[in-house]
Amino acid sequence: MMARVVIVGVVGALERLTYGVPAAIAQQLAPGHRVLVPLRSRRVTAIVTEVGDSLDSGGVVTRAIIELLEPRPLFDSAHLQLIEFLANYYMAPIGDAFRSVLPSLARVESRRMFRVARAPSLLARVAFTPLEREIVEALTKRPLTLRQLQRLGQSSEVKAAIGRLVADSWIISRDATRGRHRAQTLGSPGTSMADQTGPVEPLVSPHGGAVHELAGTSNPELSSEQAAAVAAVTPAIRRRQFEPFLLWGVTASGKSEVYIRLAAEALSAERQVLVLVPEIALADQLVGSFQQCFGSLVSVAHSAQTIGERWASWMAALNGEARIMIGPRSAIFAPINDLGLIVVDEEHDSAYKQEEGIRYNSRDLAVVLARLASCPVVLGSATPSAESYENGRRSRYRMLQLTRRIQQREFARVDIIDLRQHRTALGRAPAVALLVEETKPAKLEIFRSGSRVPPIHPELSRQGVETTNTAVKGAGSGPLADGLPLSAPLIEALGENLAAAGQTLVFLNRRGYHNFLQCPFCGSVITCSSCSVSMTFHLRGRMLRCHYCGASEPAPGKCFECGAFGLEGQGYGTERLVHALARLFPSARIERMDSDTSGRRGARSAIMRGVRTGDIDILVGTQMITKGFDFHNVTLVAVVLADLSLNMPDFRSAERTFQLLTQAAGRAGRGERPGRVLIQTYAPHHYSIRAARDQDYARFIRREMELRRELMYPPFARMALVRIEGEEPTYVSDCASKIADLLANTAKPESTRVLGPAPAPIERIKQRYRWQVLVKSRDRHELRAALAAAAPYRARDGVRVSIDIDPVSML
Ligand SMILES: [Zn+2]
Ligand SMILES: [Zn+2]
């Protein structure tokens, strides 16, 4: 008997090999099993894809499988096919696909380790050559691999020296194995893995009834729309049938409750459930509702897991202990072998796209997996992506709508504030004055002590320039507080909401204090030394940080170009906004939530608690605060600058803006009291902002689709982005032109367009120059044919070429 396997992490000729199956495991071995096999002089992990009596080994003498690593196959046929799809669709080697899918602990590998064979005191007296001496001394400290030893000198010389040392028995080599080896030791604590070969215990049947009752008590009555959605999906769960649904439900319409009812349905059919969320850290409220209903049947996978925890959660899924798995995009590959339902919450979110290695989109893979596993998949969103909406419109997905908020809550009233009417009042120096007040005198030298600005107060700010602001009735208009675009109507609304004891979310999708530091004399801006972007000034620690590569350095005292003292801070982020608001509303309790403040474990939940208990009046934050926040006393949401996402060089910028604004607006008025939303913008007539004001997704998507069709963008075309990166700029641009030529020569002009080569919008990140070629096609097969023609092109050393199918980030 023979087995065909994929060697994990190996690409090229050796990725698919055939091995003999020892009699001891012949009865048991099946596709999906994880095994240890010999490869040259090493032992490596492989996944069995085929077992049979007459497999063709391609004329190579077959060696035998060494060991079966789990009694039960790690992947069922649906997941095996999903991984084949992953490799094929995203044009990646299959060995790479398995490597990126498996937890690192699942990769068992042997390495040849060298160690000393004699006592150090004896070795010290031997007359070695200088290189031999270096090797012996390194090995006296700890065993090393050949690769590690080769750093000690020229490769062939090191090999020769090792050969002599081994021949004279001064050192020896042994095989050492790393990775989880014995399946029996791998269960989560308290799990008996002894009877793993037997059928899965129907863990859920004793809980089935209880599950229903629990789900019932959390929210006894479904709205008629919710009930209709549940009723539509349920038959597919019961009949074990693939069917894709798009659950388009406005904010606060109770999508979570629909998911929970459906999960209960799948559990009582004795099947498992996979719930994907964009970011597990931002999904605490959804996770909480599931845990409240299903208790220990819920297993949560998250990106902060240790490698051991990740492996334990895989084992819990595999042995059927985890009946419901909630996780981020990588959870799509967890070995849930009895899938009865897949839910993709916030399906429009770009976090479903993997942006490194194999650039897959979990939302799309979820539909593929559901088909392979014969179960329904529910994609939920208040603002479905253009792609999913088009699938719904063409009846590829069945559209389920929740048009009303639960408990007849009103939508918040949304007003647009036209920032152009405040522009004349935008001063230049005020930011400096603010800093002067906040910094210790000793550190003042780095900022010019410019003109001081009179303190801004709502009363004062109204005496500003006369304008005809019609967007918000009855409100005056005035100078932007402290150089920040805090318009008078916004400040007034904040004050009123504070007085009425309502809570406010202030949304600004930009971190830091100043966007950049600029020399007022020569105009130069401090940029990151590794990236072509300016560095952001963070007041805390007085640091400059690069938001692309993470580099940071203390803010310099003088201009690098002309040597002048007195760099000026320009622009604003959440950090500065908090300072400005604190001065405007000295008695308000203000907190900030962005990735700078919620990095520490527990920081986010502490802020969430503060909002829940009413200890925070104003919460300033980035898009983090637009996701999943469900607080009943939030009665005002202020969007400081809606244009930030609109002005990105990306064909999805209007869609993202609409999504962000809708999500932000959806945070207001989720309780008894009605909510109010203020959107400040320089583009008040843009269709995405107008549609967000009216909370009219249908109108937005109609207009968006017209533009996409006209310009041949998804969903009316397939796209691929070929990225070319490297440290040597001329190599990168040469390579980009060659690839663009290859693509253009193959592409059929009537269906396929090749755009570029062009430098990426961010031309350099982490010292690497970046170019790109964009390919768009009305025909998926044409697109693939063109890419396939360019794929074999070998870039010169140091230049990396990668293909991003269905790209999400265009930067
Ligand atoms: Zn200068
Ligand atoms: Zn950088």
Side-chain angles (χ1 to χ4, degrees), residues 510-752:
R510 193 155 68 187
R511 293 183 288 133
Y513 197 89
H514 287 304
N515 287 61
F516 54 90
L517 294 186
Q518 187 170 35
C519 171
F521 303 103
C522 75
S524 51
V525 167
I526 299 183
T527 53
C528 175
S529 57
S530 313
C531 312
S532 56
V533 293
S534 57
M535 295 191 82
T536 305
F537 177 74
H538 291 252
L539 186 63
R540 193 191 156 99
R542 310 192 65 77
M543 299 296 278
L544 284 173
R545 290 184 206 285
C546 171
H547 287 182
Y548 285 86
C549 72
S552 68
E553 57 189 59
K558 55 184 181 181
C559 174
F560 294 132
E561 293 295 324
C562 72
F565 287 90
L567 294 171
E568 268 183 8
Q570 301 285 4
Y572 46 87
T574 44
E575 195 184 20
R576 187 162 157 222
L577 190 56
V578 167
H579 283 266
L581 289 173
R583 292 208 320 160
L584 286 166
F585 305 106
S587 60
R589 294 159 300 176
I590 305 175
E591 276 290 346
R592 170 163 66 99
M593 183 186 279
D594 55 30
S595 53
D596 295 322
T597 63
S598 65
R600 281 160 287 123
R601 244 185 178 178
R604 180 181 149 92
S605 44
I607 294 175
M608 300 273 277
R609 209 176 314 121
V611 178
R612 192 173 304 118
T613 56
D615 288 333
I616 293 174
D617 297 317
I618 301 175
L619 181 63
V620 174
T622 55
Q623 56 178 317
M624 269 186 192
I625 65 168
T626 67
K627 294 181 182 180
F629 260 56
D630 188 3
F631 294 115
H632 288 187
N633 197 33
V634 172
T635 42
L636 176 64
V637 170
V639 179
V640 174
L641 188 56
D643 313 34
L644 280 179
S645 52
L646 206 53
N647 296 327
M648 299 294 261
D650 187 333
F651 74 94
R652 286 193 180 91
S653 62
E655 186 182 12
R656 295 231 171 90
T657 302
F658 180 81
Q659 288 162 353
L660 272 174
L661 295 179
T662 307
Q663 294 294 338
R667 301 309 112 200
R670 295 176 82 100
E672 305 284 295
R673 299 158 67 187
R676 187 164 181 223
V677 181
L678 294 175
I679 298 174
Q680 298 197 124
T681 176
Y682 288 101
H685 301 295
H686 193 280
Y687 67 96
S688 70
I689 290 176
R690 302 282 283 231
R693 177 193 63 191
D694 302 337
Q695 304 189 31
D696 190 345
Y697 172 83
R699 198 175 81 211
F700 165 76
I701 200 74
R702 265 201 309 278
R703 178 89 179 90
E704 180 71 14
M705 289 297 198
E706 279 167 26
L707 292 173
R708 298 267 183 109
R709 191 191 300 269
E710 225 166 83
L711 300 169
M712 206 173 130
Y713 277 122
F716 303 103
R718 293 299 185 125
M719 268 178 35
L721 193 61
V722 183
R723 299 167 196 270
I724 304 103
E725 294 174 36
E727 288 186 17
E728 186 55 57
T730 54
Y731 294 1
V732 176
S733 57
D734 284 355
C735 175
S737 335
K738 298 228 173 64
I739 286 176
D741 287 347
L742 282 171
L743 289 165
N745 290 340
T746 326
K748 290 195 178 140
E750 59 277 16
S751 65
T752 307

Side-chain angles (χ1 to χ4, degrees), residues 218-227 249-258 402-411 630 632 666 668-673:
S218 76
N219 190 349
E221 253 178 81
L222 291 181
S223 72
S224 58
E225 287 180 333
Q226 286 174 315
V250 298
T251 55
S253 59
K255 289 187 287 291
S256 311
E257 192 55 33
V258 174
L402 307 177
T403 59
R404 290 185 297 274
R405 291 187 139 193
I406 47 168
Q407 294 162 10
Q408 282 82 49
R409 274 176 211 141
E410 297 282 310
F411 281 106
D630 188 3
H632 288 187
R670 295 176 82 100
E672 305 284 295
R673 299 158 67 187

Side-chain angles (χ1 to χ4, degrees), residues 211-442:
V211 161
H212 274 297
E213 282 161 32
L214 276 167
T217 53
S218 76
N219 190 349
E221 253 178 81
L222 291 181
S223 72
S224 58
E225 287 180 333
Q226 286 174 315
V230 171
V233 184
T234 301
I237 295 174
R238 292 192 182 151
R239 284 191 227 126
R240 306 194 162 208
Q241 206 172 45
F242 166 64
E243 196 174 355
F245 295 90
L246 177 60
L247 180 62
W248 165 24
V250 298
T251 55
S253 59
K255 289 187 287 291
S256 311
E257 192 55 33
V258 174
Y259 303 153
I260 284 171
R261 296 298 177 107
L262 293 174
E265 199 59 58
L267 291 191
S268 60
E270 293 183 11
R271 307 198 80 187
Q272 287 169 284
V273 178
L274 173 64
V275 180
L276 296 177
V277 295
E279 283 167 80
I280 205 82
L282 304 183
D284 23 26
Q285 288 183 328
L286 182 70
V287 169
S289 321
F290 267 89
Q291 283 171 336
Q292 210 183 336
C293 287
F294 304 111
S296 62
L297 301 177
V298 178
S299 156
V300 182
H302 54 87
S303 46
Q305 278 175 319
T306 65
I307 53 172
E309 284 169 341
R310 175 134 193 260
W311 182 246
S313 76
W314 265 52
M315 286 299 112
L318 180 64
N319 64 34
E321 212 183 311
R323 304 308 298 173
I324 300 175
M325 180 173 261
I326 307 181
R329 60 173 181 266
S330 61
I332 186 82
F333 303 113
I336 302 173
N337 290 346
D338 202 9
L339 264 175
L341 172 71
I342 305 177
V343 171
V344 183
D345 190 31
E346 309 291 356
E347 66 86 28
H348 62 272
D349 201 298
S350 58
Y352 284 118
K353 175 81 173 175
Q354 166 77 17
E355 293 289 3
E356 273 165 16
I358 304 176
R359 294 163 173 260
Y360 63 85
N361 190 319
S362 255
R363 187 260 326 267
D364 300 340
L365 289 181
V367 178
V368 174
L369 179 60
R371 185 193 302 274
L372 294 167
S374 299
C375 72
V377 55
V378 178
L379 310 178
S381 177
T383 53
S385 62
E387 290 83 352
S388 296
Y389 179 81
E390 182 66 6
N391 282 327
R393 205 184 58 80
R394 289 169 167 242
S395 305
R396 289 199 201 103
Y397 297 170
R398 196 161 143 200
M399 192 107 80
L400 308 171
Q401 279 196 59
L402 307 177
T403 59
R404 290 185 297 274
R405 291 187 139 193
I406 47 168
Q407 294 162 10
Q408 282 82 49
R409 274 176 211 141
E410 297 282 310
F411 281 106
R413 195 181 103 212
V414 185
D415 291 308
I416 293 176
I417 297 173
D418 184 353
L419 282 175
R420 295 171 306 174
Q421 303 185 354
H422 301 258
R423 191 171 48 186
T424 48
L426 183 66
R428 180 154 171 258
V432 179
L434 190 64
L435 265 176
V436 168
E437 283 181 8
E438 289 158 356
T439 51
K440 293 195 187 90

